Structures are given as C-alpha cells and as structure tokens.
Amino acid sequence: MALLRKINQVLLFLLILTLCGILYKKVHKGTVLRNETDDDSEVPEETEDEIPVVICAAAGRMGAAMAAINSIYSNTDANILFYVVGLRNTLSRIRKWIEHSKLREINFKIVEFNPTVLKGKIRPDSSRPELLQPLNFVRFYLPLLIHQHEKVIYLDDDIIVQGDIQELYDTTLALGHAAAFSDDCDLPSAQDIDRLVGLQNTYMGYLDYRKKTIKDLGISPSTCSFNPGVIVANMTEWKHQRITKQLEKWMQKNVEENLYSSSLGGGVATSPMLIVFHGKYSTINPLWHIRHLGWNPDTRYSEHFLQEAKLLHWNGRHKPWDFPSVHNDLWESWFVPDPAGIFTLNHHNS
C-alpha cells in the first residue's frame, strides 16, 4: 500500500508539472506575439505554406508601402503574411489605412520597431538625411522582429511587384548562405548603366578605400556590389552566423572611423551589408529586381522591358508618387488612396 501511495504521488507530481509546462508555453507565446504587434487579437496560426513579407511603412511615405502590398497581394494566390513595420506613432494610422481600404482582406501583423537599438550606431550625415531614418535599418534586425519563420522576404517600400511573389520566395539559397540579393553587375542589358550618371555598381562606390580598416578587409574595390532593397533571408543561418551583431559592429566602426557615407554609394544601410555578406550570399533572378527607376527622371526604359519585369524598384531620389519621376503610371495603378487624406500624389506635370 505504501508503495502504491508513493507511485500515485509521483504520478500526481508529474501531472502537475506537465500542466505547469503547458501553461508556461501558452503565456510565453502570447508575450512574444504582443511584443511583435500592437494588437494580438485575431492573429491566425501559421501554416506551412505561409510566405512572410516584411515591409516598412514610414510616416511621410506610407502610401508607398500600401501600393507595394496591393501589388503583391493582387498578383498571387499564395498565402501571404505581411509584417508591416512602423514606429510607435504611426501604428494606428497603418492599421486604419489597411482596414479602411481595399487591403482589408490581407493577412497582416503590425510590428513596432524601437529605434533605441540604433543609439550610438549611426553617424550623422547631412548628404542624404532621409537615409538615416530608423526604418531604413529594419532589414538588419529581421530575426528580432520575425520569430516563427525559417525563410523571409524583405522588400523596400518603393517597389511594386508584377509577378507571383511565390517565385521570389522559392529562390534557392546555397548551403551556409543567410540571404540572397541582386548583383549590381547582373542588370539586364536594357538597363543601360551609361545613361545612369553617377550610378555605383562596385564596392569602390560604397566604401572609403583610403581607410586602413577597409583596405585590411582584402576585398577588391572592383568587386560587384549588390542591392539590399530585395532580400530573401534564411533566419536560421542569419541567427547562427550572428549577422545582426556583425552589422552592428560595422555600424559602430563607421561612427568611429567614417568608413562609408551616403555621399558615396547613397546608402548607409548598404555598406555594412556589403562587408558582412561579401562572398557569402546567393543571387536573385535579375527580373525580380529591376531597379534604378528613381535614379534619373530623364531616363526611361522600354515598355516591353518593364512588362517583362517581375519587380520594379524606384531606388534613388525620384519617387513615383512625387515629381519629377518616370514610369509613375506603373506605380500609380497600384496606389491605395489614404482614408485619412494625408498622403497625396504630386504628379502636377505627369
């Protein structure tokens, strides 16, 4: 009898322990989700075929993110989960825009990005101050924002997608590669580099090779650069290789030594990525990143060429919602009017 009582006590103890473990997991999971989004109600469970797409919605150009989301959602039958990233003071406006427009049917989470993580890591730069805004660095922190996905797509907001995003998601990442990018030397011939004065496509255009720290990297200045406006990332490899920590290290080094600046290649977020991912990234099909549409308002591409493109990117100063710009008709066809009437198009001479 004594032995039976002891067995019953042990079984009761194990049952209580199991219940405590289940309760802890439920509470812990809920906390993570609350930290990811400003509203944890109606959060659907992840399915295996879900494609996570991360895109930032900045206060002054929120219409760009909405147009990008509209183009992605409208051109695929895939199950997309949009992670729309913003600063705290914009989260309610993001939600209102989505829920009070044609985008109300999309599957999305709103994620707050806390800019305090950038303290002491960004060097003041007056050349292109817009490149220093916090959301420009969200791509560095993908695993901290997105927890339950193995593979993630990150997109700049000044893009539209004309193909099925499933194709981009299916990009093969080589063993040991944490990300795939578009090589700047793989641009289709229709994008005539000679017409894009000042465009950089090598490391020389992004890093200051006069500095010993850059020379000591042993990277040839003629090495082809890549554009991080479209990223397919493997979160397991990213965390394993501590990519975020490596990027932060080079940000801090730049604060101390001024190793790169926006007056060079025009992207303070690009330079540390070029260093960290040198020789360790896979490539994206060139048609999935036709870029430089915002580089020169006097340079146009053939309509046939643009129709073949899967993704268009208006990187550069001349955005398609503003004036002057080119091919803004392609972008405007995906524009979702702002329910609050704050974001408006400036095409007074288009």
Side-chain angles (χ1 to χ4, degrees), residues 58-334:
R61 46 194 279 171
M62 202 171 286
M66 300 305 163
I69 290 169
N70 187 27
S71 71
I72 296 165
Y73 182 73
S74 300
N75 284 307
T76 187
D77 291 325
N79 180 18
I80 311 297
L81 174 56
F82 292 98
Y83 286 85
V84 189
V85 186
L87 302 181
R88 177 171 294 179
N89 62 351
T90 65
L91 302 184
S92 61
R93 187 178 165 212
I94 293 170
R95 182 170 294 281
K96 180 179 178 182
W97 200 324
I98 293 173
E99 293 182 345
H100 292 81
S101 73
K102 65 188 294 184
L103 299 178
R104 65 178 65 90
E105 301 297 324
I106 70 169
N107 185 14
F108 72 99
K109 291 183 181 180
I110 297 175
V111 183
E112 178 187 348
F113 182 66
N114 188 343
T116 58
V117 297
L118 300 172
K119 188 176 181 181
K121 301 183 183 74
I122 301 177
R123 185 183 184 87
D125 192 323
S126 60
S127 177
R128 288 192 67 187
E130 74 274 13
L131 297 175
L132 302 180
Q133 68 105 355
L135 294 180
N136 204 29
F137 300 92
V138 162
R139 71 199 86 195
F140 290 11
Y141 296 94
L142 293 177
L144 302 182
L145 298 169
I146 314 301
H147 295 186
Q148 68 266 48
H149 300 283
E150 168 75 11
K151 197 175 186 182
V152 173
I153 293 173
Y154 168 89
L155 299 173
D156 276 354
D157 63 353
D158 51 354
I159 63 101
I160 60 164
V161 169
Q162 301 185 135
D164 187 340
I165 198 74
Q166 180 77 54
E167 294 178 25
L168 180 61
Y169 185 74
D170 289 341
T171 297
T172 300
L173 273 68
L175 189 66
H177 286 179
F181 305 99
S182 297
D183 263 335
D184 285 335
C185 296
D186 280 351
L187 290 170
S189 58
Q191 285 197 281
D192 185 358
I193 295 293
D194 293 334
R195 293 185 296 165
L196 300 172
V197 178
L199 182 68
Q200 306 294 340
N201 67 346
T202 66
Y203 274 54
M204 174 68 85
Y206 291 89
L207 304 176
D208 189 346
Y209 275 83
R210 296 170 299 180
K211 302 293 173 67
K212 183 178 185 300
T213 302
I214 297 299
K215 288 179 181 176
D216 288 348
L217 288 170
I219 301 173
S220 168
S222 62
T223 300
C224 194
S225 54
F226 58 79
N227 187 298
V230 176
I231 306 172
V232 181
N234 180 314
M235 293 293 93
T236 301
E237 278 296 332
W238 192 293
K239 287 182 279 190
H240 176 69
Q241 297 179 33
R242 298 170 62 85
I243 297 294
T244 297
K245 287 294 182 186
Q246 291 188 59
L247 291 166
E248 288 186 324
K249 181 188 81 171
W250 284 102
M251 291 170 76
Q252 287 167 334
K253 277 183 174 290
N254 183 57
V255 170
E256 297 162 5
E257 303 178 45
N258 194 20
L259 304 175
Y260 53 85
S261 77
S262 62
S263 61
L264 290 169
V268 291
T270 300
S271 300
M273 298 194 87
L274 290 177
I275 296 171
V276 171
F277 284 100
H278 174 252
K280 294 182 291 185
Y281 66 91
S282 298
T283 55
I284 290 170
N285 180 333
L287 287 177
W288 269 101
H289 197 176
I290 299 303
R291 48 203 182 277
H292 309 310
L293 274 71
W295 196 263
N296 186 341
D298 297 320
T299 299
R300 300 185 66 88
Y301 302 114
S302 75
E303 294 304 317
H304 174 73
F305 172 66
L306 293 176
Q307 286 169 9
E308 293 293 313
K310 305 287 189 178
L311 181 149
L312 302 176
H313 187 185
W314 279 263
N315 59 312
R317 296 176 185 268
H318 304 282
K319 303 305 182 186
W321 55 87
D322 213 341
F323 177 86
S325 59
V326 292
H327 303 300
N328 44 41
D329 55 316
L330 293 173
W331 182 88
E332 195 169 341
S333 65
W334 300 108

Side-chain angles (χ1 to χ4, degrees), residues 44-50 52 79 81 148-150:
E45 291 185 6
E46 182 192 3
T47 57
E48 287 184 10
D49 62 346
E50 202 169 57
N79 180 18
L81 174 56
Q148 68 266 48
H149 300 283
E150 168 75 11

